[in-house]
Amino acid sequence: MSRWFPDSLRIGFSPDRVVLEHQTVNLKLIGARSRVLQRQVLDTGSQPGRKNWDGALQVLATALEAYRHGYCAVSVILANSLVRYALVPQSHLLSAEQETAVLQHCFHEIYGSAAEQWELRLSAASGVPLQPATGVDRSLLDGLRALFSDSRLRLRSIQPRLMAVCNEHRAVMGGGPAWLLLVEPGNLCLGLIAGGGLARLRSLRSGKTWASDLPWLLERETCLAELDVAPGDVLLWHRDGAPLATLAAEPLRLHVLQDRLQDPLPVEAGADSEALALAGD
């Protein structure tokens, strides 16, 4: 590791498991290329659930001890079950203070007074009427930030899983209308892509029968969205790999979104920034 070309550490943070992927940068004549040095999948002993993240914090704290003496740029990806989502109307006429007030109002309308305990972030999305926004428990974010406060590890971003998937697969999301389905243990994040952006977004509890229930679920969402014609395409991301054999796909057209390794983001010397949003860097 070096200060000028730091390694990157990508952390998948879920209540039931923590994944650490350590990448380094190799400089060659054709440019910089990233290479995976190590990938750890650590069981936390906790069940999936919105409040069950204490065990994951402890597991992550122990795992980070091996990295504390080297320079490393860190990104944390939060499971969707740890994030509350909302779609907020966009207006270029609002000041920053007014935009914040609209954001707070939208979350209070959906989630009630519990939203006062969350850190809210709005994603700037150009050319679309609705902007994705997130709410995450402040105590969870404080716990994550504290893990990096006294080390050479530099926390570059804390991203919801939805953000990471959308950024990685943005090229396939700019076409016609489609369903976006992200599957994690106990949670389904379901979005409707239309007009170049997200037109609907819901986070639902799920069980082991989610695959067989998918046609019914999408039919219900079609009715709730008052769509004349339901999209026939489903962009599917599954944390543990898509079980295509069990999916009742007909008449749906399934497009599996598989994670790929991304080049680490450059870090300026001395930089120590954080981000929580649904927009790309």
Side-chain angles (χ1 to χ4, degrees):
M1 303 180 189
S2 81
R3 181 187 295 269
W4 306 110
F5 297 99
D7 289 0
S8 65
L9 185 62
R10 189 178 187 184
I11 300 171
F13 189 88
S14 305
D16 62 321
R17 80 177 193 185
V18 174
V19 179
L20 295 92
E21 189 171 80
H22 181 197
Q23 300 181 42
T24 191
V25 177
N26 291 333
L27 297 179
K28 300 182 179 181
L29 293 177
I30 59 174
R33 293 292 184 270
S34 61
R35 177 171 61 91
V36 176
L37 294 177
Q38 184 181 29
R39 189 173 191 270
Q40 297 175 273
V41 180
L42 307 174
D43 187 3
T44 69
S46 300
Q47 294 296 317
R50 184 156 286 163
K51 297 294 185 180
N52 298 337
W53 43 262
D54 284 336
L57 273 181
Q58 295 173 9
V59 169
L60 179 56
T62 300
L64 289 176
E65 290 299 324
Y67 298 92
R68 290 198 176 278
H69 300 295
Y71 294 101
C72 208
V74 180
S75 62
V76 179
I77 301 173
L78 296 178
N80 287 320
S81 61
L82 300 173
V83 184
R84 286 81 164 183
Y85 293 108
L87 292 176
V88 178
Q90 181 167 212
S91 175
H92 299 292
L93 303 178
L94 299 180
S95 65
E97 292 77 10
Q98 291 171 328
E99 194 173 65
T100 298
V102 171
L103 174 62
Q104 294 172 340
H105 173 75
C106 289
F107 270 85
H108 277 264
E109 284 289 302
I110 298 172
Y111 298 103
S113 59
E116 297 174 5
Q117 308 301 318
W118 307 339
E119 190 167 309
L120 307 181
R121 288 289 184 270
L122 183 65
S123 170
S126 60
V128 293
L130 297 174
Q131 303 176 92
T134 61
V136 180
D137 194 312
R138 288 194 188 94
S139 58
L140 169 57
L141 294 176
D142 290 343
L144 286 169
R145 289 165 179 155
L147 295 181
F148 305 95
S149 61
D150 59 350
S151 72
R152 292 180 176 182
L153 299 174
R154 293 294 179 257
L155 183 59
R156 286 297 310 275
S157 66
I158 302 175
Q159 306 174 353
R161 174 61 69 181
L162 176 63
M163 169 192 174
V165 172
C166 287
N167 285 342
E168 189 163 334
H169 300 283
R170 67 180 70 187
V172 300
M173 296 185 183
W179 300 108
L180 175 63
L181 181 64
L182 279 62
V183 182
E184 295 171 309
N187 181 268
L188 296 181
C189 186
L190 176 62
L192 172 62
I193 301 173
L198 285 168
R200 285 179 63 84
L201 185 60
R202 284 161 55 82
S203 187
L204 308 169
R205 293 182 180 178
S206 68
K208 296 181 179 180
T209 62
W210 71 266
S212 58
D213 294 339
L214 183 57
W216 169 83
L217 176 62
L218 296 183
E219 182 178 352
R220 185 183 68 173
E221 289 299 308
T222 298
C223 294
L224 293 174
E226 299 181 347
L227 300 177
D228 295 329
V229 179
D233 293 288
V234 179
L235 307 180
L236 172 65
W237 179 91
H238 194 294
R239 192 191 77 171
D240 302 320
L244 295 179
T246 64
L247 283 173
E250 295 295 338
L252 301 171
R253 295 181 295 274
L254 293 173
H255 308 271
V256 179
L257 306 179
Q258 295 181 333
D259 288 340
R260 58 179 173 80
L261 297 182
Q262 295 177 311
D263 290 337
L265 298 173
V267 180
E268 297 179 2
D272 188 11
S273 60
E274 300 176 14
L276 175 64
L278 285 173
D281 293 292

